[in-house]
């Protein structure tokens, strides 16, 4: 009890002294508090908000040695309303536990995940920027703590929720290169889970593509190496013959919350939207013939990054005839819902203040 009272007064002091920097980028500023819960002796211990700080991690831990780690990226918005709202947190919660399970880590109960979101958004409410597209970016994280070099799971884990008061992520149109050599994810691997190892595996391709004058890699499926999958941290969409298309989930594509939301929103707006298998060579032909008018990437951070060109590393580059047309329409429709400026026909925005109520919604 004594120690939790000390932590509480520490946090009050930290928040009293905290000032947002004059200019915010996306995901750069780290909030002075975080949530932490530990798993040991076969169960989750009570969690609490604690000061944001480095934490001791054994250098031999399974997190560092074997990438036993998973995370989520989600946002709390507070633009029009008097309190923060979360965007479809049930999907992040369920995906987080799916990722954790894939790496032999214990599921976080809905009550604990809800307590974390509720307490962090509550404590940081005064620091959630309120411009359109601004948010409190939230990063739930789990990793294994046990130090050993045997290739087996930890039995102790830590669950954190980190927070970052963030500006909207304005993305200039990006140029993507078709990655014909490396794969981001394997058949039967962890491509459909949000785990750090996937990102480590993508870094070299990104570095290479920047040297070649592009911004990001467009990954193909690991089996036939002919169908479009996604970008390193965003799903892929294209407008072909007026229809919005995103590649069908293949088992190695990350099922994005933004991807799902944009498909639902498009249909709601009367735009036809489909999820076919998308051979990259067909798409290039469609760009050449004018059937494909537009392409973009989507994810929680930027929501949408328009794509201006798709090309081969040492070959032709195809400029898209339209940049940020349907993308801009979809993005503003989604932002209007997230900001509380438009009706929320799907019931996507969730009030995090009551953690019991939130826990019930996380399971839906
Ligand atoms: C997080 C992520 C996305 C986007 O998912 P959202 O839920 O929309 O943020 C897409 N692809 C990969 C590989 C990701 O890690």
């Amino acid at each position: 009890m004594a120690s939790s009272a000390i932590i509480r007064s520490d946090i009050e002091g930290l928040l009293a002294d905290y000032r947002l920097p004059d200019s915010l980028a996306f995901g750069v500023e780290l909030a002075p508090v975080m949530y932490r819960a530990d798993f040991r002796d076969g169960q989750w211990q009570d969690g609490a908000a604690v000061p944001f700080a480095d934490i001791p991690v054994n250098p031999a831990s399974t997190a560092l040695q074997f990438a036993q780690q998973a995370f989520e990226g989600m946002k709390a918005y507070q633009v029009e309303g008097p309190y923060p709202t979360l965007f479809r947190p049930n999907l992040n919660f369920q995906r987080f536990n799916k990722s954790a399970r894939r790496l032999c880590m214990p599921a976080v109960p809905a009550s604990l995940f809800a307590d974390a979101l509720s307490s962090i958004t509550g404590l940081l409410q005064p620091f959630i920027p309120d411009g359109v597209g601004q948010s409190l970016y939230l990063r739930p994280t789990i990793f294994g703590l046990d130090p050993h070099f045997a290739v087996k799971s930890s039995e102790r884990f830590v669950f954190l929720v980190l927070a970052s008061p963030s500006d909207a992520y304005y993305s200039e149109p990006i140029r993507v290169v078709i990655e014909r050599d490396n794969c981001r994810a394997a058949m039967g691997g962890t491509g459909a889970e949000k785990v750090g190892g996937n990102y480590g595996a993508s870094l070299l391709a990104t570095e290479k593509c920047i040297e070649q004058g592009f911004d990001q890699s467009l990954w193909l499926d690991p089996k036939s190496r002919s169908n479009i999958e996604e970008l390193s941290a965003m799903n892929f969409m294209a407008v072909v013959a007026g229809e919005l298309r995103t590649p069908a989930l293949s088992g190695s594509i990350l099922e994005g919350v933004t991807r799902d939301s944009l498909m639902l929103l498009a249909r709601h707006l009367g735009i036809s939207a489909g999820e076919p298998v998308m051979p990259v060579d067909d798409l290039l032909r469609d760009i050449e013939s004018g059937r494909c008018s537009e392409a973009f990437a989507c994810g929680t951070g930027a929501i949408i990054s328009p794509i201006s060109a798709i090309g081969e590393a040492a070959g032709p580059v195809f400029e898209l005839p339209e940049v940020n047309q349907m993308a801009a329409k979809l993005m503003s429709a989604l932002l209007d819902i997230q900001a509380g400026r438009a009706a929320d026909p799907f019931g996507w925005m969730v009030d995090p203040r009551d953690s019991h109520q939130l826990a019930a919604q996380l399971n839906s």
Side-chain angles (χ1 to χ4, degrees), residues 95 184 194 199 230 232-235 254 256-258 298-300:
R95 191 171 66 187
R184 188 191 77 93
K194 215 167 177 70
Y199 283 74
E230 60 174 321
S232 297
M234 285 187 279
N235 292 115
L254 195 283
V257 176
T258 318
C298 65
T300 295

Side-chain angles (χ1 to χ4, degrees), residues 39 44 46-47 52 63 86 93 97 126 158 163 186 212 219 251 279 294 311 329 334:
F39 184 92
W44 285 104
D46 286 346
F52 177 83
L86 298 169
F93 167 69
N97 279 339
V158 59
Q212 293 161 342
W219 297 98
E294 185 176 345
K329 203 183 308 174
L334 185 54

Side-chain angles (χ1 to χ4, degrees), residues 71-74 87 91-92 95 137 139 184 190-195 198-199 219 230-236 252-261 298-303:
F71 68 98
E72 268 305 319
M74 55 198 295
F87 179 68
L91 299 186
N92 297 102
R95 191 171 66 187
Y137 180 71
R139 174 57 67 103
R184 188 191 77 93
T190 56
E193 284 81 31
K194 215 167 177 70
V195 300
N198 293 342
Y199 283 74
W219 297 98
E230 60 174 321
L231 283 75
S232 297
M234 285 187 279
N235 292 115
F236 178 83
S252 46
I253 293 177
L254 195 283
E255 187 174 1
V257 176
T258 318
R259 172 188 182 278
D260 183 68
S261 306
C298 65
T300 295
I303 304 180

Side-chain angles (χ1 to χ4, degrees), residues 94-271:
Q94 291 161 23
R95 191 171 66 187
F96 185 75
N97 279 339
K98 174 175 182 274
S99 301
R101 211 170 303 125
R102 179 66 179 78
L103 292 196
C104 279
M105 299 189 282
V108 171
S111 55
L112 183 57
F113 204 86
D115 187 50
L117 295 177
S118 191
S119 63
I120 290 298
T121 53
L123 287 166
L124 292 172
Q125 174 165 4
F127 308 105
I128 303 180
D130 61 3
V132 170
Q134 295 186 321
S135 65
L136 184 68
Y137 180 71
L138 297 162
R139 174 57 67 103
T141 305
I142 183 173
F143 54 87
L145 288 176
D146 292 357
H148 55 67
F149 296 136
V151 185
K152 64 182 175 103
S153 175
S154 279
E155 291 175 2
R156 292 178 306 129
F157 299 87
V158 59
F159 166 59
L160 303 173
V161 174
L162 312 176
S164 172
S166 288
D167 204 346
Y169 185 148
Y170 292 112
S171 174
E172 293 291 317
I174 55 173
R175 298 166 62 83
V176 302
V177 65
I178 301 161
E179 176 55 59
R180 302 266 184 191
D181 298 328
N182 289 181
C183 286
R184 188 191 77 93
M187 294 287 298
T190 56
E193 284 81 31
K194 215 167 177 70
V195 300
N198 293 342
Y199 283 74
S202 75
L203 293 176
L204 185 59
T206 306
E207 199 174 276
K208 203 176 63 184
C209 89
I210 290 170
E211 281 166 19
Q212 293 161 342
F214 294 90
D215 300 296
Q216 289 195 35
S217 310
L218 180 62
W219 297 98
L220 303 181
D221 76 280
K223 193 171 179 192
S224 74
R225 302 211 176 192
S226 59
N227 301 319
I228 297 175
E229 294 234 301
E230 60 174 321
L231 283 75
S232 297
M234 285 187 279
N235 292 115
F236 178 83
M237 294 196 173
V239 183
V240 182
E243 183 186 59
L244 181 66
R245 294 185 184 169
T246 192
L249 296 175
S250 62
S252 46
I253 293 177
L254 195 283
E255 187 174 1
V257 176
T258 318
R259 172 188 182 278
D260 183 68
S261 306
L262 292 176
M263 295 305 272
L264 290 170
L265 200 51
R267 292 184 192 116
H268 184 70
L269 296 172
I271 300 165

